[in-house]
Amino acid sequence: MATTINWAGNHVYAGTLVRPESLAEVSDAVAGAEHVRVLGTRHTFNDLADSAGLLVSLDRLAYRHPRLLTEGEANGPDPELDELTGRVRVAAATRYADLALFLEERGRTLVNFASLPHIGVAGAVATATHGSGVGNTVLAAAVTRLELVAADGSLRTLDRDVDGDTFDAATVSLGALGIVHAVTLETVPAFEVAQTVYGPVGFAALADAFDDVSDLGYSVSCFTTLRTEEFETVWVKRTTAQGPAPADVLGAPALTAEAHPIPGIDPGNATAQQGVPGPASDRLPHFRADQLPSAGAEIQCEYLVPRHSARLALRALPGLAEPLAGLVQVCEVRSIAADTAWMSPMYAQPCVAVHFTLVRDAERVAAALPVIDEALGVLGGRPHWGKQFRADPERVRSLYPRREDFLDVVRLHDPQRKFSNAFVRTWVG
């Protein structure tokens, strides 16, 4: 039997993988299993998606845009765009890159994108994956309907307009409510974005002016290797409606050559910079959909710190330089708006994301993770569900005021806890 591993190669899945070719096959597989988890694009760095039982991949049901379809790859049905409401229904395992191309051909797009357009819609939604921008919420906030396969194999629909407050339990669900096979999302008229990269900017200067810098664009990201007390680059992404980019950021000039978020890596897989406008889906992500994202061989860790503690989080970074020496490829700091999903780290509070791209050395990274938690957890930082972290489970659970309400919804939809696993039991309950 072939080994099933995650995208980064740092986790081997324990369960038996099946790849149904129809919704009926998904229902049969779920109904006949004792424990089930669904695998998306496998861009998690921990055991969130794992199960000792059955692992279901919906990749053969996903939509692939002709421009990104590779030879021999299965292609599911086209998304369905409602011209009246602007909402689009799409197969859950569809990648954001494929959906974006479909929408742009019809004059529509999504309000925001994550750093990687390679990730699947349902997985990003379930884990509160986000992009950047003080006015931009998690990707899950765009969801208006979820279509699931329940524990007995039956089909169930949850709708924002029908299910009200309970729907806020369903989006960021960590896969605990059932297997999502289709998602309906809100779209907006297509718009263009131009990104300009600046640098370097000192830690202290950015900490003091973080709010002002964050307001410079629709989306702003600050990158540091922690090798010096400065951010090597600040990426400012502005819509064409916002006008031209500023001449400098805190005195740092715009770079005159293309850059990669990780210094020293060929920028060929990064999205276009130097103020050249392009579709939002080709500028808001840091990486091109047809290229390898990030560094590839890596482990990621991220903490979402309440916005009011942004300066403290930035001032904590120099203290992490020594314990993380030789481990950090790059650290990114960006903003996310508050949302209403009960299990989202941004529930009812805007946050600053402090994200670490670390070398793929599982043993050394594991030893360093408690140090990151000590520095950012004390500020109320909530770990990203899909990344690596080491923390006190009781502390993490206490950070979610609607956690017990969420568990009530889980019990209602999955009383036998067929879709739960060790990760969910540890960090949620």
Side-chain angles (χ1 to χ4, degrees), residues 322-388:
E322 183 175 346
L324 298 184
L327 293 177
V328 176
Q329 298 187 63
V330 77
C331 168
E332 178 183 10
V333 178
R334 49 187 166 161
S335 303
I336 310 100
D339 62 68
T340 61
W342 297 351
M343 296 308 297
S344 165
M346 277 63 67
Y347 173 73
Q349 64 176 16
C351 286
V352 172
V354 183
H355 178 278
F356 300 91
T357 298
L358 308 165
V359 299
R360 195 174 64 191
D361 186 328
E363 185 174 342
R364 291 178 61 208
V365 168
L369 290 174
V371 179
I372 298 175
D373 183 75
E374 183 178 349
L376 301 176
V378 71
L379 302 177
R382 300 172 176 178
H384 187 294
W385 295 119
K387 315 292 185 183
Q388 282 275 310

Short mmCIF file of all heavy atoms in Angstrom, two decimals, residues 322-388:
data_model
loop_
_atom_site.label_atom_id
_atom_site.label_comp_id
_atom_site.label_asym_id
_atom_site.label_seq_id
_atom_site.Cartn_x
_atom_site.Cartn_y
_atom_site.Cartn_z
N GLU A 322 17.45 34.04 18.58
CA GLU A 322 18.45 33.05 19.02
C GLU A 322 17.88 31.64 19.10
O GLU A 322 18.46 30.70 18.53
CB GLU A 322 19.04 33.47 20.36
CG GLU A 322 20.14 32.52 20.84
CD GLU A 322 20.81 32.99 22.11
OE1 GLU A 322 20.61 34.17 22.50
OE2 GLU A 322 21.53 32.18 22.73
N PRO A 323 16.73 31.42 19.78
CA PRO A 323 16.21 30.04 19.84
C PRO A 323 15.79 29.48 18.49
O PRO A 323 15.73 28.26 18.32
CB PRO A 323 15.02 30.14 20.79
CG PRO A 323 14.67 31.59 20.84
CD PRO A 323 15.94 32.33 20.63
N LEU A 324 15.49 30.35 17.52
CA LEU A 324 15.08 29.87 16.19
C LEU A 324 16.20 29.97 15.16
O LEU A 324 15.95 29.75 13.98
CB LEU A 324 13.86 30.67 15.70
CG LEU A 324 12.58 30.56 16.54
CD1 LEU A 324 11.44 31.33 15.88
CD2 LEU A 324 12.18 29.11 16.76
N ALA A 325 17.39 30.27 15.60
CA ALA A 325 18.52 30.40 14.68
C ALA A 325 18.73 29.10 13.91
O ALA A 325 18.77 28.02 14.49
CB ALA A 325 19.78 30.77 15.45
N GLY A 326 18.86 29.23 12.60
CA GLY A 326 19.06 28.06 11.74
C GLY A 326 17.78 27.34 11.38
O GLY A 326 17.82 26.39 10.60
N LEU A 327 16.66 27.77 11.95
CA LEU A 327 15.37 27.13 11.67
C LEU A 327 14.46 27.98 10.80
O LEU A 327 13.69 27.46 10.00
CB LEU A 327 14.63 26.81 12.98
CG LEU A 327 15.24 25.76 13.90
CD1 LEU A 327 14.43 25.63 15.17
CD2 LEU A 327 15.32 24.42 13.18
N VAL A 328 14.53 29.30 10.95
CA VAL A 328 13.61 30.20 10.25
C VAL A 328 14.06 30.45 8.82
O VAL A 328 15.17 30.92 8.59
CB VAL A 328 13.48 31.54 11.00
CG1 VAL A 328 12.61 32.50 10.21
CG2 VAL A 328 12.89 31.33 12.38
N GLN A 329 13.19 30.12 7.87
CA GLN A 329 13.42 30.56 6.50
C GLN A 329 12.89 31.98 6.32
O GLN A 329 13.55 32.82 5.71
CB GLN A 329 12.74 29.61 5.52
CG GLN A 329 13.29 28.19 5.59
CD GLN A 329 12.73 27.31 4.49
OE1 GLN A 329 12.94 27.56 3.31
NE2 GLN A 329 12.01 26.27 4.87
N VAL A 330 11.71 32.23 6.88
CA VAL A 330 11.17 33.59 6.90
C VAL A 330 10.01 33.64 7.88
O VAL A 330 9.36 32.62 8.15
CB VAL A 330 10.72 34.04 5.49
CG1 VAL A 330 9.38 33.42 5.10
CG2 VAL A 330 10.69 35.54 5.35
N CYS A 331 9.77 34.82 8.44
CA CYS A 331 8.64 35.09 9.32
C CYS A 331 7.82 36.20 8.68
O CYS A 331 8.38 37.23 8.27
CB CYS A 331 9.13 35.51 10.70
SG CYS A 331 7.85 36.18 11.80
N GLU A 332 6.50 35.99 8.58
CA GLU A 332 5.62 36.96 7.96
C GLU A 332 4.64 37.51 8.99
O GLU A 332 4.08 36.75 9.78
CB GLU A 332 4.82 36.32 6.81
CG GLU A 332 3.83 37.27 6.14
CD GLU A 332 3.00 36.60 5.05
OE1 GLU A 332 3.06 35.36 4.94
OE2 GLU A 332 2.29 37.32 4.33
N VAL A 333 4.43 38.82 8.97
CA VAL A 333 3.47 39.47 9.85
C VAL A 333 2.43 40.17 8.98
O VAL A 333 2.78 40.92 8.06
CB VAL A 333 4.15 40.48 10.78
CG1 VAL A 333 3.11 41.18 11.67
CG2 VAL A 333 5.20 39.79 11.65
N ARG A 334 1.14 39.94 9.25
CA ARG A 334 0.06 40.54 8.46
C ARG A 334 -1.20 40.66 9.31
O ARG A 334 -1.24 40.16 10.43
CB ARG A 334 -0.22 39.73 7.20
CG ARG A 334 -0.39 38.25 7.43
CD ARG A 334 -0.48 37.46 6.14
NE ARG A 334 -0.31 36.03 6.37
CZ ARG A 334 -0.70 35.10 5.52
NH1 ARG A 334 -1.30 35.43 4.39
NH2 ARG A 334 -0.50 33.83 5.77
N SER A 335 -2.22 41.30 8.77
CA SER A 335 -3.44 41.61 9.51
C SER A 335 -4.63 40.85 8.97
O SER A 335 -4.72 40.58 7.77
CB SER A 335 -3.74 43.12 9.42
OG SER A 335 -2.65 43.88 9.89
N ILE A 336 -5.57 40.50 9.87
CA ILE A 336 -6.83 39.87 9.47
C ILE A 336 -7.95 40.50 10.28
O ILE A 336 -7.81 40.74 11.49
CB ILE A 336 -6.83 38.34 9.73
CG1 ILE A 336 -5.57 37.69 9.15
CG2 ILE A 336 -8.06 37.70 9.13
CD1 ILE A 336 -4.51 37.41 10.16
N ALA A 337 -9.08 40.76 9.64
CA ALA A 337 -10.23 41.35 10.31
C ALA A 337 -10.98 40.32 11.15
O ALA A 337 -10.82 39.10 10.96
CB ALA A 337 -11.18 41.97 9.27
N ALA A 338 -11.81 40.79 12.06
CA ALA A 338 -12.63 39.91 12.89
C ALA A 338 -13.70 39.23 12.06
O ALA A 338 -14.14 39.76 11.03
CB ALA A 338 -13.27 40.71 14.01
N ASP A 339 -14.14 38.04 12.50
CA ASP A 339 -15.22 37.33 11.82
C ASP A 339 -16.16 36.73 12.86
O ASP A 339 -16.01 36.98 14.06
CB ASP A 339 -14.68 36.26 10.88
CG ASP A 339 -13.89 35.18 11.60
OD1 ASP A 339 -14.51 34.40 12.36
OD2 ASP A 339 -12.66 35.10 11.43
N THR A 340 -17.13 35.95 12.39
CA THR A 340 -18.16 35.42 13.29
C THR A 340 -18.13 33.90 13.43
O THR A 340 -19.01 33.33 14.09
CB THR A 340 -19.56 35.84 12.80
OG1 THR A 340 -19.78 35.31 11.48
CG2 THR A 340 -19.70 37.35 12.78
N ALA A 341 -17.17 33.22 12.82
CA ALA A 341 -17.09 31.76 12.91
C ALA A 341 -16.60 31.36 14.30
O ALA A 341 -15.54 31.81 14.74
CB ALA A 341 -16.15 31.21 11.84
N TRP A 342 -17.36 30.52 14.98
CA TRP A 342 -17.09 30.22 16.38
C TRP A 342 -15.69 29.69 16.64
O TRP A 342 -15.09 29.99 17.66
CB TRP A 342 -18.11 29.20 16.90
CG TRP A 342 -19.52 29.70 16.88
CD1 TRP A 342 -19.95 30.97 16.61
CD2 TRP A 342 -20.70 28.93 17.14
NE1 TRP A 342 -21.32 31.04 16.69
CE2 TRP A 342 -21.81 29.80 17.01
CE3 TRP A 342 -20.92 27.59 17.47
CZ2 TRP A 342 -23.12 29.36 17.20
CZ3 TRP A 342 -22.24 27.15 17.65
CH2 TRP A 342 -23.32 28.04 17.53
N MET A 343 -15.17 28.86 15.75
CA MET A 343 -13.85 28.27 15.96
C MET A 343 -12.76 28.93 15.14
O MET A 343 -11.67 28.38 14.95
CB MET A 343 -13.91 26.77 15.68
CG MET A 343 -14.81 25.99 16.63
SD MET A 343 -14.47 26.28 18.39
CE MET A 343 -12.80 25.64 18.52
N SER A 344 -13.01 30.13 14.67
CA SER A 344 -11.97 30.89 13.98
C SER A 344 -11.12 31.62 15.02
O SER A 344 -11.66 32.20 15.97
CB SER A 344 -12.60 31.92 13.05
OG SER A 344 -11.62 32.88 12.65
N PRO A 345 -9.79 31.63 14.86
CA PRO A 345 -8.95 32.42 15.78
C PRO A 345 -9.29 33.90 15.75
O PRO A 345 -8.95 34.62 16.69
CB PRO A 345 -7.54 32.16 15.24
CG PRO A 345 -7.63 30.84 14.55
CD PRO A 345 -9.00 30.82 13.93
N MET A 346 -9.96 34.36 14.68
CA MET A 346 -10.34 35.76 14.59
C MET A 346 -11.78 35.99 15.02
O MET A 346 -12.37 37.03 14.73
CB MET A 346 -10.14 36.26 13.15
CG MET A 346 -8.71 36.69 12.82
SD MET A 346 -7.46 35.37 12.92
CE MET A 346 -7.93 34.29 11.58
N TYR A 347 -12.38 35.02 15.72
CA TYR A 347 -13.76 35.19 16.17
C TYR A 347 -13.88 36.43 17.06
O TYR A 347 -13.24 36.54 18.10
CB TYR A 347 -14.23 33.96 16.94
CG TYR A 347 -15.59 34.15 17.57
CD1 TYR A 347 -16.74 34.15 16.79
CD2 TYR A 347 -15.72 34.36 18.95
CE1 TYR A 347 -18.00 34.35 17.36
CE2 TYR A 347 -16.97 34.55 19.52
CZ TYR A 347 -18.10 34.55 18.72
OH TYR A 347 -19.35 34.76 19.29
N ALA A 348 -14.69 37.38 16.60
CA ALA A 348 -15.02 38.60 17.36
C ALA A 348 -13.82 39.48 17.67
O ALA A 348 -13.93 40.40 18.50
CB ALA A 348 -15.75 38.24 18.65
N GLN A 349 -12.67 39.24 17.03
CA GLN A 349 -11.52 40.10 17.28
C GLN A 349 -10.59 40.14 16.07
O GLN A 349 -10.24 39.11 15.51
CB GLN A 349 -10.72 39.61 18.50
CG GLN A 349 -10.09 38.24 18.34
CD GLN A 349 -9.24 37.83 19.53
OE1 GLN A 349 -9.33 38.41 20.60
NE2 GLN A 349 -8.40 36.82 19.35
N PRO A 350 -10.19 41.34 15.65
CA PRO A 350 -9.17 41.42 14.60
C PRO A 350 -7.84 40.93 15.15
O PRO A 350 -7.57 41.06 16.36
CB PRO A 350 -9.13 42.91 14.26
CG PRO A 350 -9.59 43.59 15.51
CD PRO A 350 -10.59 42.67 16.14
N CYS A 351 -7.02 40.36 14.29
CA CYS A 351 -5.75 39.78 14.74
C CYS A 351 -4.59 40.20 13.85
O CYS A 351 -4.77 40.65 12.73
CB CYS A 351 -5.85 38.26 14.76
SG CYS A 351 -6.82 37.58 16.11
N VAL A 352 -3.42 39.99 14.40
CA VAL A 352 -2.18 40.07 13.64
C VAL A 352 -1.61 38.66 13.57
O VAL A 352 -1.47 37.98 14.60
CB VAL A 352 -1.17 41.01 14.32
CG1 VAL A 352 0.18 40.94 13.63
CG2 VAL A 352 -1.69 42.44 14.30
N ALA A 353 -1.33 38.19 12.37
CA ALA A 353 -0.78 36.86 12.18
C ALA A 353 0.74 36.93 12.18
O ALA A 353 1.34 37.74 11.47
CB ALA A 353 -1.25 36.27 10.87
N VAL A 354 1.35 36.10 13.01
CA VAL A 354 2.82 35.97 13.03
C VAL A 354 3.11 34.55 12.56
O VAL A 354 2.87 33.57 13.28
CB VAL A 354 3.39 36.22 14.42
CG1 VAL A 354 4.92 36.16 14.38
CG2 VAL A 354 2.93 37.58 14.96
N HIS A 355 3.62 34.44 11.35
CA HIS A 355 3.75 33.16 10.66
C HIS A 355 5.23 32.84 10.45
O HIS A 355 6.01 33.68 10.00
CB HIS A 355 3.04 33.24 9.31
CG HIS A 355 3.15 31.99 8.49
ND1 HIS A 355 4.25 31.70 7.72
CD2 HIS A 355 2.30 30.95 8.33
CE1 HIS A 355 4.07 30.54 7.11
NE2 HIS A 355 2.89 30.07 7.47
N PHE A 356 5.61 31.60 10.77
CA PHE A 356 6.99 31.15 10.61
C PHE A 356 7.06 30.04 9.57
O PHE A 356 6.37 29.02 9.68
CB PHE A 356 7.54 30.63 11.94
CG PHE A 356 7.54 31.64 13.05
CD1 PHE A 356 6.45 31.75 13.90
CD2 PHE A 356 8.63 32.48 13.23
CE1 PHE A 356 6.44 32.67 14.93
CE2 PHE A 356 8.63 33.42 14.26
CZ PHE A 356 7.53 33.52 15.10
N THR A 357 7.87 30.24 8.55
CA THR A 357 8.23 29.17 7.63
C THR A 357 9.58 28.64 8.09
O THR A 357 10.59 29.36 8.06
CB THR A 357 8.34 29.69 6.18
OG1 THR A 357 7.06 30.20 5.77
CG2 THR A 357 8.74 28.57 5.24
N LEU A 358 9.58 27.40 8.56
CA LEU A 358 10.76 26.79 9.19
C LEU A 358 11.32 25.68 8.31
O LEU A 358 10.62 25.15 7.45
CB LEU A 358 10.37 26.23 10.56
CG LEU A 358 9.66 27.21 11.50
CD1 LEU A 358 9.01 26.47 12.65
CD2 LEU A 358 10.65 28.25 12.02
N VAL A 359 12.58 25.34 8.52
CA VAL A 359 13.19 24.26 7.76
C VAL A 359 12.49 22.95 8.11
O VAL A 359 11.91 22.80 9.19
CB VAL A 359 14.71 24.15 8.04
CG1 VAL A 359 15.41 25.44 7.64
CG2 VAL A 359 14.97 23.82 9.50
N ARG A 360 12.55 22.00 7.20
CA ARG A 360 11.90 20.71 7.44
C ARG A 360 12.82 19.79 8.23
O ARG A 360 13.38 18.82 7.73
CB ARG A 360 11.49 20.07 6.11
CG ARG A 360 10.49 18.92 6.30
CD ARG A 360 10.00 18.40 4.98
NE ARG A 360 11.06 17.81 4.19
CZ ARG A 360 10.95 17.46 2.91
NH1 ARG A 360 9.81 17.66 2.27
NH2 ARG A 360 11.96 16.94 2.25
N ASP A 361 12.95 20.14 9.50
CA ASP A 361 13.70 19.32 10.46
C ASP A 361 12.77 19.12 11.64
O ASP A 361 12.73 19.92 12.58
CB ASP A 361 14.98 20.05 10.87
CG ASP A 361 15.89 19.21 11.76
OD1 ASP A 361 15.35 18.38 12.53
OD2 ASP A 361 17.12 19.38 11.70
N ALA A 362 11.97 18.06 11.58
CA ALA A 362 10.88 17.88 12.53
C ALA A 362 11.35 17.87 13.98
O ALA A 362 10.67 18.44 14.86
CB ALA A 362 10.14 16.57 12.21
N GLU A 363 12.48 17.25 14.25
CA GLU A 363 12.94 17.14 15.64
C GLU A 363 13.35 18.50 16.20
O GLU A 363 12.95 18.88 17.31
CB GLU A 363 14.12 16.16 15.70
CG GLU A 363 14.60 15.89 17.12
CD GLU A 363 15.67 14.81 17.17
OE1 GLU A 363 15.79 14.05 16.19
OE2 GLU A 363 16.37 14.73 18.20
N ARG A 364 14.12 19.25 15.43
CA ARG A 364 14.56 20.57 15.91
C ARG A 364 13.40 21.54 15.99
O ARG A 364 13.31 22.36 16.92
CB ARG A 364 15.66 21.12 14.99
CG ARG A 364 16.98 20.38 15.07
CD ARG A 364 17.98 20.96 14.08
NE ARG A 364 18.26 22.36 14.39
CZ ARG A 364 18.62 23.26 13.48
NH1 ARG A 364 18.70 22.91 12.19
NH2 ARG A 364 18.89 24.50 13.83
N VAL A 365 12.50 21.48 15.03
CA VAL A 365 11.33 22.37 15.06
C VAL A 365 10.47 22.06 16.27
O VAL A 365 10.00 22.96 16.97
CB VAL A 365 10.52 22.25 13.76
CG1 VAL A 365 9.15 22.93 13.91
CG2 VAL A 365 11.29 22.87 12.60
N ALA A 366 10.25 20.77 16.56
CA ALA A 366 9.44 20.39 17.70
C ALA A 366 10.00 20.95 19.00
O ALA A 366 9.25 21.37 19.89
CB ALA A 366 9.33 18.87 17.79
N ALA A 367 11.32 20.98 19.10
CA ALA A 367 11.96 21.50 20.31
C ALA A 367 11.79 23.01 20.43
O ALA A 367 11.78 23.56 21.54
CB ALA A 367 13.45 21.14 20.30
N ALA A 368 11.63 23.69 19.29
CA ALA A 368 11.53 25.15 19.30
C ALA A 368 10.10 25.65 19.43
O ALA A 368 9.87 26.80 19.82
CB ALA A 368 12.16 25.72 18.03
N LEU A 369 9.12 24.82 19.11
CA LEU A 369 7.72 25.27 19.11
C LEU A 369 7.26 25.79 20.47
O LEU A 369 6.53 26.80 20.53
CB LEU A 369 6.81 24.14 18.65
CG LEU A 369 6.92 23.76 17.16
CD1 LEU A 369 6.07 22.54 16.86
CD2 LEU A 369 6.51 24.93 16.26
N PRO A 370 7.65 25.17 21.60
CA PRO A 370 7.22 25.73 22.89
C PRO A 370 7.75 27.15 23.12
O PRO A 370 7.10 27.94 23.83
CB PRO A 370 7.80 24.75 23.91
CG PRO A 370 7.94 23.46 23.16
CD PRO A 370 8.33 23.87 21.78
N VAL A 371 8.89 27.47 22.56
CA VAL A 371 9.45 28.82 22.71
C VAL A 371 8.56 29.84 21.99
O VAL A 371 8.30 30.93 22.51
CB VAL A 371 10.89 28.87 22.15
CG1 VAL A 371 11.46 30.28 22.29
CG2 VAL A 371 11.77 27.86 22.87
N ILE A 372 8.08 29.47 20.80
CA ILE A 372 7.17 30.35 20.07
C ILE A 372 5.88 30.52 20.85
O ILE A 372 5.35 31.64 20.98
CB ILE A 372 6.90 29.79 18.66
CG1 ILE A 372 8.20 29.71 17.85
CG2 ILE A 372 5.87 30.65 17.94
CD1 ILE A 372 8.03 29.06 16.48
N ASP A 373 5.37 29.43 21.41
CA ASP A 373 4.13 29.51 22.17
C ASP A 373 4.30 30.38 23.41
O ASP A 373 3.41 31.15 23.78
CB ASP A 373 3.68 28.10 22.58
CG ASP A 373 2.35 28.12 23.31
OD1 ASP A 373 1.31 28.32 22.63
OD2 ASP A 373 2.34 27.96 24.54
N GLU A 374 5.45 30.26 24.06
CA GLU A 374 5.70 31.07 25.25
C GLU A 374 5.72 32.56 24.92
O GLU A 374 5.22 33.38 25.69
CB GLU A 374 7.03 30.65 25.88
CG GLU A 374 7.35 31.38 27.18
CD GLU A 374 8.65 30.90 27.81
OE1 GLU A 374 9.18 29.88 27.35
OE2 GLU A 374 9.11 31.55 28.77
N ALA A 375 6.26 32.91 23.75
CA ALA A 375 6.37 34.31 23.38
C ALA A 375 5.04 34.90 22.92
O ALA A 375 4.72 36.06 23.23
CB ALA A 375 7.41 34.47 22.27
N LEU A 376 4.24 34.11 22.17
CA LEU A 376 3.02 34.65 21.56
C LEU A 376 1.74 34.18 22.25
O LEU A 376 0.72 34.86 22.19
CB LEU A 376 2.98 34.28 20.08
CG LEU A 376 4.17 34.81 19.25
CD1 LEU A 376 4.09 34.31 17.82
CD2 LEU A 376 4.23 36.32 19.29
N GLY A 377 1.80 33.04 22.91
CA GLY A 377 0.64 32.56 23.64
C GLY A 377 0.29 33.45 24.81
O GLY A 377 -0.89 33.65 25.13
N VAL A 378 1.30 34.02 25.46
CA VAL A 378 1.05 34.90 26.59
C VAL A 378 0.31 36.16 26.18
O VAL A 378 -0.34 36.82 27.01
CB VAL A 378 2.40 35.27 27.28
CG1 VAL A 378 3.21 36.20 26.40
CG2 VAL A 378 2.17 35.88 28.66
N LEU A 379 0.34 36.48 24.89
CA LEU A 379 -0.37 37.65 24.36
C LEU A 379 -1.79 37.30 23.91
O LEU A 379 -2.47 38.12 23.31
CB LEU A 379 0.40 38.24 23.17
CG LEU A 379 1.85 38.67 23.45
CD1 LEU A 379 2.50 39.18 22.17
CD2 LEU A 379 1.89 39.74 24.54
N GLY A 380 -2.21 36.08 24.21
CA GLY A 380 -3.52 35.63 23.76
C GLY A 380 -3.50 35.05 22.37
O GLY A 380 -4.55 34.87 21.75
N GLY A 381 -2.32 34.73 21.86
CA GLY A 381 -2.18 34.18 20.52
C GLY A 381 -2.82 32.81 20.39
O GLY A 381 -2.63 31.93 21.24
N ARG A 382 -3.59 32.63 19.33
CA ARG A 382 -4.23 31.35 19.04
C ARG A 382 -3.49 30.69 17.89
O ARG A 382 -3.31 31.30 16.84
CB ARG A 382 -5.70 31.57 18.67
CG ARG A 382 -6.53 32.25 19.75
CD ARG A 382 -7.91 32.61 19.23
NE ARG A 382 -8.75 33.18 20.29
CZ ARG A 382 -9.99 33.61 20.12
NH1 ARG A 382 -10.55 33.55 18.92
NH2 ARG A 382 -10.67 34.11 21.12
N PRO A 383 -3.07 29.45 18.03
CA PRO A 383 -2.36 28.78 16.93
C PRO A 383 -3.28 28.57 15.73
O PRO A 383 -4.48 28.32 15.89
CB PRO A 383 -1.95 27.43 17.53
CG PRO A 383 -2.09 27.58 19.01
CD PRO A 383 -3.18 28.59 19.22
N HIS A 384 -2.72 28.67 14.53
CA HIS A 384 -3.46 28.31 13.32
C HIS A 384 -3.70 26.81 13.36
O HIS A 384 -2.78 26.02 13.61
CB HIS A 384 -2.66 28.71 12.08
CG HIS A 384 -3.40 28.53 10.79
ND1 HIS A 384 -3.77 27.29 10.31
CD2 HIS A 384 -3.85 29.42 9.88
CE1 HIS A 384 -4.41 27.43 9.16
NE2 HIS A 384 -4.48 28.72 8.88
N TRP A 385 -4.94 26.41 13.08
CA TRP A 385 -5.32 25.01 13.20
C TRP A 385 -4.51 24.08 12.29
O TRP A 385 -4.29 22.92 12.63
CB TRP A 385 -6.80 24.83 12.89
CG TRP A 385 -7.73 25.49 13.85
CD1 TRP A 385 -8.66 26.46 13.59
CD2 TRP A 385 -7.86 25.20 15.26
NE1 TRP A 385 -9.35 26.80 14.73
CE2 TRP A 385 -8.89 26.03 15.77
CE3 TRP A 385 -7.22 24.31 16.13
CZ2 TRP A 385 -9.27 26.02 17.10
CZ3 TRP A 385 -7.61 24.29 17.47
CH2 TRP A 385 -8.62 25.14 17.94
N GLY A 386 -4.08 24.57 11.15
CA GLY A 386 -3.41 23.70 10.19
C GLY A 386 -1.90 23.69 10.26
O GLY A 386 -1.24 23.02 9.47
N LYS A 387 -1.33 24.41 11.22
CA LYS A 387 0.12 24.51 11.31
C LYS A 387 0.64 23.70 12.50
O LYS A 387 -0.12 23.21 13.33
CB LYS A 387 0.56 25.97 11.47
CG LYS A 387 -0.14 26.96 10.55
CD LYS A 387 0.22 26.78 9.09
CE LYS A 387 -0.42 27.89 8.24
NZ LYS A 387 -0.16 27.74 6.80
N GLN A 388 1.95 23.62 12.62
CA GLN A 388 2.58 22.96 13.76
C GLN A 388 2.55 23.90 14.97
O GLN A 388 2.79 25.11 14.85
CB GLN A 388 4.03 22.61 13.44
CG GLN A 388 4.20 21.38 12.56
CD GLN A 388 4.21 20.10 13.38
OE1 GLN A 388 4.93 19.97 14.35
NE2 GLN A 388 3.40 19.14 12.97
#
